[in-house]
Amino acid sequence: MTATAGGSAPGRPWWRSAVLYQIYLRSFADSNADGVGDLEGVIDRLDHLEWLGIDGIWLSPITLSPNADWGYDVADYRGVQPDLGTLETFDRLVAGADQRGIRVLLDIVPNHTSEQHPWFVDSRSSLTAPKRDWYVWSDPKADGSAPNNWVSSFGGPAWTLDGTTGQFYLHNHLSEQPDLNWWNEEVRNEFDAILRFWFDRGVAGFRIDVCNIIVKDARLRDNPPATPDDDFEAQLFGQRPVYNGNRPEVHDVLRRWRLLAESYDTPRALIGETPVKVEELATYYGDGSDELHLAFNFPFLTAPFDATTMRSVVEDTEAHLPPGAWPAWTGSNHDMSRFSSRWAEGDPAKARAALLMLLCLRGTPVLYQGDEIGLEDFPVSQADLRDPLGVRYWPAYAGRDAMRTPMPWRDGPGGGFTTADTRPWLPLGPTGRCNVEHQRSDPWSMLTLARDLIVLRRQTPELQTGRYVTVTAPEGVWAWRRGERVLVVLNMSEGESTLTGTRGHIHIATNRERDGESFDKALTLRAWEAAIAEIR
Ligand code: GLC
């Protein structure tokens, strides 16, 4: 089948005005009562996404996987994991989504495969195997130890000795996830073909897993020790990851993929998982038009939710991105605690302010399933852990299951995610008020707020294209203008606060009683209230 992947207004590619939505497939909707969410379940829930106003969905990996890391260990880049569906189901999903104006993006994992991928099975079979050079192999040091000091981002050495050939292979994650060798031209060509395979099926783009680390230092040099300026992870591992990732040559691959993406009539979007500082993030956009279309902003995602920090991350991002580049804003994903827990600490007022912020910044917001109903992390007991990191590090680190628990569609056993008598693959949290059905009929709910904000965004050109300009505000308040006439104000303090010298009327406030309220000379917001207003 050949879906269109949609059209876009001239000069304004679709992904710039889109609101994107991440679907963690195994936990979204289970259509066949096996406790695992699947592609058919997404088809069943397209109505929800259309009603909410979502323009594009990014699906966590759908490809064949032994699930050492739940799909992020791929054993066939063109085959669908049987418990998630088939290629035919996927084609129907693309067609069904297309009818509703929703584009489908996939997750691609180019840094590593599963150890069970036939490429790796071949590669490890002998020193002269045809695919030997598709992975990163190296001899032990003279004393038999690993080739260098690199550590895996999941902890422990990034090298595992393989008995068959006596060489070590590299893995920046689990040992079941061997890293591909992106210096090998055949690997590059193979991925071009994989991208085309999915683009030709109507896929509108890819979220590229750990795209900043796919190319490694050709000489496999030791990483230098971490310095006090380095981030938390570098401190934790005691080294700065300058040679096992973030190499300049990664940009050649991204430029190549951008050209490929733009060789289609309707340009496909490349969204990078780029866990780097803002200055470096900017480099993944290339000159603003020749690398990633969107790059996930981890300094924003991980910032504490206070006015000074959030404002400065956004200002920094605005200042560093090359002309023509377009930011992406997200508050949660399947690896990070959900924003209703992390930023809002369970306080609905803060969660509502966070949602308004995400939908009103200049750039493309990416919501994670459940963000729209204010879903919080649900801590999973040790017996129910599924994430290999939780299993390995419990109780020091409980892993990522708490942010991957099933989507509550309605109250009651199974929560509409699965049938009442099926045990979901991860436990369902409380379904009481935090469920789609309940919130859809409540004009004051987080879900209604999300939908109304998305509608407003669609109707308000300033919210789509208007410049971001910080507005001077009292301490604890973060205010900005979009274009000339739209004002966004977040009172991120514990007391009432007043922004002076402004007049207009509120379009939407997180306290919905204030929608439509006019203000003359000053706008006063109560603790953790936020509003978007038209100013005169
Ligand atoms: C990315 C994914 C994460 C996965 C890792 C290894 O960070 O988001 O879930 O474990 O890559 O593929």
Side-chain angles (χ1 to χ4, degrees):
M1 69 146 266
T2 48
T4 56
S8 29
R12 180 140 57 90
W14 63 270
W15 44 268
R16 284 188 179 235
S17 41
V19 175
L20 301 181
Y21 184 98
Q22 179 191 355
I23 293 185
Y24 189 71
L25 203 48
R26 297 181 67 85
S27 293
F28 191 62
D30 170 18
S31 73
N32 59 351
D34 64 356
V36 173
D38 46 47
L39 292 166
E40 195 72 52
V42 181
I43 297 177
D44 295 343
R45 298 293 179 180
L46 283 172
D47 286 348
H48 168 69
L49 301 169
E50 183 182 17
W51 174 85
L52 183 57
I54 297 302
D55 303 286
I57 50 179
W58 143 37
L59 304 175
S60 53
I62 65 166
T63 39
L64 193 70
S65 168
N67 283 335
D69 190 21
W70 299 110
Y72 287 95
D73 47 324
V74 179
D76 176 0
Y77 286 89
R78 296 175 179 84
V80 174
Q81 173 76 353
D83 57 4
L84 303 178
T86 62
L87 264 185
E88 185 272 333
T89 342
F90 179 72
D91 289 344
R92 277 193 292 110
L93 167 58
V94 172
D98 193 51
Q99 276 165 15
R100 292 167 167 84
I102 299 173
R103 294 166 173 85
V104 179
L105 295 91
L106 290 181
D107 209 313
I108 185 132
V109 188
N111 179 66
H112 47 269
T113 69
S114 160
E115 60 169 351
Q116 293 182 31
H117 196 296
W119 304 338
F120 189 66
V121 173
D122 174 86
S123 186
R124 79 190 321 179
S125 66
S126 84
L127 289 171
T128 54
K131 298 215 161 31
R132 183 66 176 182
D133 188 51
W134 280 40
Y135 293 83
V136 185
W137 291 98
S138 186
D139 286 328
K141 283 190 179 153
D143 64 358
S145 62
N148 65 25
N149 72 349
W150 297 354
V151 285
S152 148
S153 22
F154 287 171
W159 296 95
T160 289
L161 181 64
D162 195 52
T164 314
T165 57
Q167 284 196 319
F168 281 84
Y169 68 87
L170 179 70
H171 51 87
N172 265 300
H173 298 87
L174 302 174
S175 60
E176 293 92 337
Q177 295 169 298
D179 280 25
L180 284 159
N181 174 16
W182 275 86
W183 291 98
N184 183 302
E185 196 54 28
E186 286 172 15
V187 169
R188 295 185 185 212
N189 291 336
E190 178 65 23
F191 270 86
D192 288 353
I194 292 166
L195 293 184
R196 283 209 180 84
F197 174 84
W198 292 107
F199 282 151
D200 291 346
R201 296 194 100 82
V203 164
F206 288 97
R207 177 264 190 186
I208 310 169
D209 194 62
V210 287
C211 88
N212 58 309
I213 66 167
I214 63 177
V215 183
K216 319 296 183 303
D217 179 46
R219 290 161 50 201
L220 304 179
R221 280 172 283 185
D222 274 346
N223 279 329
T227 64
D229 290 345
D230 287 319
D231 62 16
F232 169 76
E233 202 171 288
Q235 306 291 340
L236 185 71
F237 297 140
Q239 59 182 242
R240 183 188 285 188
V242 291
Y243 291 124
N244 58 336
N246 308 308
R247 303 307 304 154
E249 297 84 3
V250 68
H251 299 284
D252 299 337
V253 178
L254 296 176
R255 278 190 288 270
R256 173 178 178 135
W257 285 13
R258 176 76 177 237
L259 283 175
L260 200 159
E262 301 213 330
S263 68
Y264 286 79
D265 288 348
T266 50
R268 315 298 159 110
L270 300 175
I271 311 180
E273 186 197 16
T274 39
V276 295
K277 291 182 182 162
V278 166
E279 304 84 75
E280 211 174 321
L281 180 77
T283 69
Y284 286 89
Y285 287 91
D287 69 6
S289 64
D290 66 351
E291 294 192 37
L292 293 176
H293 297 88
L294 298 169
F296 280 116
N297 190 327
F298 280 74
F300 174 81
L301 182 63
T302 55
F305 198 52
D306 66 69
T308 312
T309 316
M310 296 305 285
R311 185 180 58 227
S312 75
V313 176
V314 169
E315 286 174 348
D316 258 17
T317 306
E318 289 282 352
H320 281 97
L321 256 48
W326 192 248
W329 307 109
T330 192
S332 320
N333 65 36
H334 65 294
D335 297 325
M336 298 287 307
S337 172
R338 292 172 171 280
F339 76 69
S340 287
S341 295
R342 185 170 31 86
W343 280 342
E345 299 168 308
D347 178 344
K350 292 184 188 174
R352 292 164 78 89
L355 182 71
L356 185 139
M357 166 191 75
L358 287 168
L359 290 167
C360 293
L361 285 167
R362 185 187 78 102
T364 299
V366 187
L367 299 179
Y368 178 46
Q369 69 185 44
D371 282 353
E372 76 272 38
I373 52 172
L375 190 63
E376 290 179 41
D377 297 342
F378 178 64
V380 167
S381 68
Q382 187 179 11
D384 287 329
L385 290 177
R386 297 294 206 141
D387 177 19
L389 298 189
V391 172
R392 185 186 287 184
Y393 295 113
W394 180 276
Y397 173 57
R400 301 166 291 181
D401 290 316
M403 36 282 199
R404 298 176 176 183
T405 56
M407 179 81 178
W409 294 97
R410 57 177 151 75
D411 192 15
F417 164 72
T418 190
T419 57
D421 46 10
T422 305
R423 192 183 154 89
W425 80 293
L426 273 175
L428 192 67
T431 54
R433 293 172 60 81
C434 187
N435 71 66
V436 172
E437 187 181 77
H438 174 83
Q439 292 199 16
R440 232 180 116 144
S441 55
D442 175 2
W444 306 102
S445 70
M446 179 90 159
L447 181 58
T448 305
L449 175 67
R451 180 176 191 249
D452 291 350
L453 284 168
I454 293 174
V455 169
L456 181 69
R457 207 183 139 86
R458 279 213 176 135
Q459 294 168 344
T460 313
E462 286 92 337
L463 275 181
Q464 295 190 17
T465 56
R467 275 195 315 143
Y468 166 94
V469 182
T470 298
V471 171
T472 310
E475 207 187 317
V477 176
W478 176 22
W480 65 90
R481 250 184 22 232
R482 295 293 311 282
E484 296 306 316
R485 294 167 55 87
V486 171
L487 174 73
V488 184
V489 190
L490 267 67
N491 179 1
M492 303 173 80
S493 75
E494 301 302 333
E496 192 173 276
S497 213
T498 300
L499 188 75
T500 50
T502 182
R503 63 162 64 159
H505 69 273
I506 293 176
H507 278 305
I508 295 180
T510 51
N511 170 3
R512 302 302 301 267
E513 282 171 9
R514 303 190 61 183
D515 285 11
E517 190 181 296
S518 297
F519 50 94
D520 193 13
K521 299 201 184 71
L523 174 60
T524 298
L525 293 177
R526 275 161 256 169
W528 291 100
E529 244 175 37
I532 165 161
E534 178 149 333
I535 47 174
R536 281 178 275 131

